[in-house]
Amino acid sequence: ETGVTQTPRHLVMGMTNKKSLKCEQHLGHNAMYWYKQSAKKPLELMFVYNFKEQTENNSVPSRFSPECPNSSHLFLHLHTLQPEDSALYLCASSQETASVYGYTFGSGTRLTVV
Amino acid sequence: QKEVEQDPGPLSVPEGAIVSLNCTYSNSAFQYFMWYRQYSRKGPELLMYTYSSGNKEDGRFTAQVDKSSKYISLFIRDSQPSDSATYLCAMNGNAGNMLTFGGGTRLMVKP
């Protein structure tokens, strides 16, 4: 098990539901990320937080709302999603956004929107 | 043109074969190069890390960087069925930049 824990592992939600994804890292890192991974597509960076401050929003639709209450926890709040939002959502962390040593990823949440 | 190009595969090889996975890139500022392995239903895990040009070996795995050609490779010797996964290359430049990922190559090693 990595030092980055994501819950839930699987989520099925209707288009009118509201749900949240949770990420927790136990590595003492200061930067956290949300990525979207769709079938046969590269990793898509969604949001970046550095020392709890959002430093990047990669033109993500407002139906995705991130929250970072502290450097160890990251949430992704979901509402009125579309079927094309079905994907693997990955959380990652690093010592800082300028890390040259790569990121540590969680196992992801497999989201299905019906 | 994508900043990092990677053949999506799938690449199917018999057990024991030597596997070569490759990425090309366009940004000459990239200096730090990584390979991630992602098993099905799991997140990517860092496999190899190299800085600048040259080779790095770790067990059955060798990472090679040719900055003059903007080309990086991961070689797997004596491939095993447990090596079946998607391999993603990633890279960045000087401190201050975030990682840029390739699209991943799916590898299948058949017993």
Side-chain angles (χ1 to χ4, degrees):
Chain A
E1 191 64 62
T2 66
V4 179
T5 304
Q6 287 187 247
T7 54
R9 291 297 303 275
H10 302 274
L11 178 62
V12 179
M13 60 185 288
M15 289 190 284
T16 58
N17 290 160
K18 287 184 180 181
K19 296 286 184 183
S20 295
L21 310 184
K22 180 183 176 182
C23 176
E24 183 176 0
Q25 57 97 359
H26 315 279
L27 301 167
H29 289 166
N30 297 307
M32 297 186 77
Y33 313 80
W34 280 117
Y35 279 87
K36 176 183 178 183
Q37 189 176 40
S38 304
K40 299 182 181 179
K41 292 176 79 174
L43 282 170
E44 297 175 53
L45 178 64
M46 300 176 73
F47 301 103
V48 181
Y49 278 82
N50 197 29
F51 292 94
K52 302 189 300 178
E53 299 298 320
Q54 186 179 124
T55 58
E56 185 115 359
N57 176 338
N58 214 20
S59 302
V60 180
S62 60
R63 57 186 185 269
F64 295 91
S65 175
E67 179 190 358
C68 187
N70 55 61
S71 292
S72 299
H73 294 86
L74 186 64
F75 296 89
L76 188 62
H77 304 299
L78 317 170
H79 64 97
T80 59
L81 294 191
Q82 304 298 311
E84 60 265 28
D85 296 322
S86 299
L88 180 68
Y89 288 84
L90 290 162
C91 174
S93 72
S94 63
Q95 185 59 43
E96 52 186 350
T97 56
S99 173
V100 297
Y101 299 109
Y103 305 159
T104 302
F105 285 87
S107 292
T109 294
R110 175 71 60 184
L111 173 67
T112 304
V113 181
V114 297
Chain B
Q1 183 190 6
K2 293 179 186 175
E3 210 166 8
V4 179
E5 299 271 5
Q6 190 174 3
D7 188 328
L11 177 62
S12 183
V13 301
E15 183 176 354
I18 297 174
V19 175
S20 172
L21 304 166
N22 311 295
C23 286
T24 58
Y25 62 95
S26 56
N27 188 342
S28 57
F30 287 145
Q31 295 191 71
Y32 302 90
F33 304 92
M34 296 139 219
W35 285 96
Y36 284 82
R37 178 176 60 196
Q38 185 176 18
Y39 290 116
S40 180
R41 300 184 179 85
K42 294 281 191 180
E45 57 176 331
L46 184 64
L47 189 62
M48 296 282 285
Y49 164 89
T50 54
Y51 168 69
S52 195
S53 286
N55 292 359
K56 183 175 182 178
E57 190 174 317
D58 184 1
R60 297 184 295 111
F61 298 89
T62 299
Q64 192 172 79
V65 175
D66 182 351
K67 289 188 69 181
S68 63
S69 301
K70 298 191 182 69
Y71 188 87
I72 69 170
S73 300
L74 177 70
F75 297 97
I76 307 175
R77 292 183 299 281
D78 188 24
S79 56
Q80 302 295 309
S82 58
D83 295 327
S84 298
T86 296
Y87 291 80
L88 301 101
C89 62
M91 51 197 77
N92 65 358
N94 291 321
N97 304 114
M98 287 184 290
L99 288 184
T100 300
F101 284 89
T105 299
R106 186 171 159 225
L107 171 66
M108 295 186 294
V109 181
K110 298 188 175 180

